[in-house]
Amino acid sequence: MPLEVIVGAQWGDEGKGRIVDLMSAGADYVARYNGGDNAGHTVTVGDRTFALHLVPSGILHPQITCVLGNGMVVHPGTLLEEIDSLREAGVEVTPGRLRVSHAAHVITPAHRALDQAEERARGAQEIGTTGRGIGPAYTDKAARHGLRMEALRGPDESFRKAVRAHVATVNRGLERLYDAEPLDADAIVSEYAEYARRLAPYVADTAGLLSEALDSGRRVLAEGAQGTLLDLDHGTYPYVTSSHPTAPGALLGLGLGLRPVERVVGVTKAFQTRVGAGPFPTEVDGEVALRLRGTGENPWDEFGTTTGRPRRVGWLDLVLLRYAVRVNGLTELALTKLDVLSGLDPIQLCVAYRAGEEVHPQLPYGPAELAPYEAVYETLPGWEADLTSIRRWEELPEAARAFVRRVAELAGTPVRFASVGPEREQVVTAP
Ligand code: IMP
């Protein structure tokens, strides 16, 4: 009953989608356990390329059933758009292949309006949220008055009443606290009744489904969105998201116990990126930043899939990676975008933090307090060669292999895969 958990080891955007894609061969289920349409990855089907925010890219493998777990917050309009575009591209998306937990929470336009109003009110202290209503939807969940997907199964009078009451409550906040325009409750009620009609067949007890699947020996991949450093409890609070991207979040967010966990794969880029505000000790600008970020012309350049914002970039931070190994219990690492380092010489690895005279190889006080630290670097020789056509470990330049070995050594965790380009086959398996 193998459960394999795939988590982002950084601030999100590590390229988890493609590692999930790689590990999907031979899997039966891909189950997403946290977040909502704040996440995003680009998929290519034939000659069409589009962004998926909710549906796991496992949907492109015909043998896989995809699950949106109870730990998620689902915007029904986004989900339906994704179902429609996948179908237009010829991908079979049926209630048999896509199951949404009855206990996942529903995002409404009121959550989005509140998210945006709260951000404006934070002014210089803004978090840089994606504005997708994620925080307010989880706030309602914790306050025990959220709308759950199960309500969409029978869009009856009580559902309409619940949506209307929710919009009325948010409207009071928007008007009184944020001086913002109220929303039209009737329009939202009709919109959501239509979503409910279309989505009801997809709603299921996914925890029961996954646990039966595991009991009968099926292979389940649990896919996290965002990354360890954006975890509500274990990330760089308050510059975090409102869910639990860390590996334990997979169990809570899918309704599974500890027993089936077999592997925990942490995905990290060969460098560091961050969107939104908050401290970033290895951040760089200038020529190196331009090289790491790319121009924005390619889908894999460092610009947000959801918001289009240029990402902040920097050298790989091993202090934070060791932390990710610890809080997730990582059994292995997948290193993405190794090819992007080609032509950068030397390459820096942050191996410790310095504050005044003190040097800390480990985080002295969790990741929320990064501002006082300066990165201490180890310098490694770079390589010139383009790696994108390399498929075998032995063919990598010695400097690239030394870089991967050093990352594994400093993280105390083996690196299983290194990706050298955006295509499915552009991966090197490390020995
Ligand atoms: P929220 O999740 O929209 O509330 O945003 C909170 C923080 O998480 C912001 O800094 C966002 O930029 C960041 N964030 C949310 N989703 C992602 C993601 O998928 N990748 C990277 N950063 C994200």
Side-chain angles (χ1 to χ4, degrees):
M1 44 148 68
L3 176 66
E4 298 170 34
V5 185
I6 298 156
V7 301
Q10 300 174 301
W11 276 293
D13 310 314
E14 298 90 351
K16 294 174 289 293
R18 63 160 313 160
I19 301 301
V20 172
D21 185 55
L22 189 74
M23 290 174 61
S24 290
D28 302 291
Y29 290 81
V30 176
R32 208 173 120 192
Y33 59 83
N34 75 299
D37 57 354
N38 48 347
H41 45 247
T42 323
V43 295
T44 305
V45 187
D47 55 2
R48 294 191 48 180
T49 296
F50 49 89
L52 290 179
H53 301 280
L54 292 168
V55 179
S57 52
I59 201 79
L60 304 181
H61 295 258
Q63 90 282 8
I64 285 179
T65 302
C66 287
V67 167
L68 305 188
N70 59 276
M72 291 187 67
V73 284
V74 178
H75 187 281
T78 307
L79 181 56
L80 284 165
E81 272 169 32
E82 291 184 13
I83 292 175
D84 291 342
S85 20
L86 283 163
R87 282 199 182 135
E88 276 164 33
V91 180
E92 186 199 339
V93 190
T94 57
R97 290 202 64 213
L98 178 66
R99 315 257 64 193
V100 185
S101 168
H102 66 95
H105 278 247
V106 178
I107 297 186
T108 71
H111 291 129
R112 287 190 171 175
L114 202 52
D115 190 1
Q116 290 158 22
E118 284 172 353
E119 271 292 89
R120 280 195 299 276
R122 285 186 191 109
Q125 269 80 47
E126 66 163 18
I127 292 167
T129 73
T130 58
R132 299 297 167 111
I134 306 298
Y138 281 113
T139 303
D140 279 356
K141 171 177 174 173
R144 296 161 296 182
H145 54 232
L147 273 175
R148 307 210 306 177
M149 285 301 292
E150 60 208 356
L152 269 60
R153 277 188 309 184
D156 52 10
E157 203 35 49
S158 69
F159 168 76
R160 289 166 195 275
K161 253 170 95 177
V163 176
R164 194 169 281 114
H166 154 71
V167 179
T169 308
V170 174
N171 275 346
R172 279 195 294 278
L174 286 173
E175 288 181 292
R176 293 186 194 165
L177 299 175
Y178 300 108
D179 212 8
E181 286 295 310
L183 302 168
D184 179 347
D186 287 335
I188 297 174
V189 169
S190 319
E191 182 186 347
Y192 274 63
E194 175 56 16
Y195 291 156
R197 194 187 59 73
R198 288 196 58 199
L199 285 176
Y202 295 86
V203 179
D205 171 16
T206 53
L209 179 82
L210 289 174
S211 128
E212 270 175 33
L214 287 163
D215 284 346
S216 59
R218 304 269 184 220
R219 196 168 147 233
V220 177
L221 304 185
E223 173 181 354
Q226 292 88 42
T228 302
L229 301 168
L230 290 172
D231 187 280
L232 181 59
D233 281 294
H234 302 294
T236 47
Y237 193 87
Y239 301 102
V240 292
T241 190
S242 301
S243 69
H244 296 289
T246 44
L251 302 178
L252 272 179
L254 296 176
L256 297 170
L258 299 164
R259 203 153 45 105
V261 179
E262 192 162 85
R263 291 167 83 182
V264 186
V265 182
V267 186
T268 173
K269 279 178 197 163
F271 49 97
Q272 204 82 15
T273 65
R274 176 164 205 179
V275 243
F280 183 169
T282 62
E283 186 166 13
V284 293
D285 52 22
E287 192 53 34
V288 174
L290 291 176
R291 293 291 296 272
L292 294 175
R293 186 180 297 118
T295 55
E297 277 163 47
N298 308 305
W300 57 87
D301 288 341
E302 298 295 347
F303 291 78
T305 323
T306 302
T307 59
R309 293 180 284 183
R311 297 183 186 135
R312 299 160 68 195
V313 293
W315 296 112
L316 184 60
D317 187 330
L318 265 300
V319 180
L320 293 178
L321 191 57
R322 281 194 285 266
Y323 174 75
V325 168
R326 171 159 72 85
V327 290
N328 292 299
L330 298 183
T331 58
E332 58 211 271
L333 290 167
L335 193 67
T336 56
K337 296 188 103 172
L338 184 63
D339 55 300
V340 172
L341 296 184
S342 290
L344 284 171
D345 197 4
I347 292 171
Q348 313 271 32
L349 276 181
C350 168
V351 293
Y353 289 160
R354 179 181 292 116
E357 293 300 298
E358 286 178 44
V359 172
H360 304 278
Q362 304 291 346
L363 272 181
Y365 193 77
E369 304 276 328
L370 295 181
Y373 302 115
E374 203 185 302
V376 177
Y377 290 109
E378 180 174 300
T379 300
L380 271 68
W383 60 90
E384 274 303 319
D386 174 5
L387 309 186
T388 53
S389 57
I390 293 178
R391 302 289 175 270
R392 286 155 44 93
W393 172 255
E394 307 79 55
E395 289 163 11
L396 286 172
E398 173 47 29
R401 278 181 281 158
F403 173 84
V404 176
R405 281 196 298 265
R406 189 68 183 134
V407 170
E409 191 174 55
L410 288 165
T413 308
V415 172
R416 260 323 150 232
F417 315 105
S419 80
V420 291
E423 299 301 328
R424 200 174 260 183
E425 73 283 2
Q426 287 178 299
V427 171
V428 174
T429 307

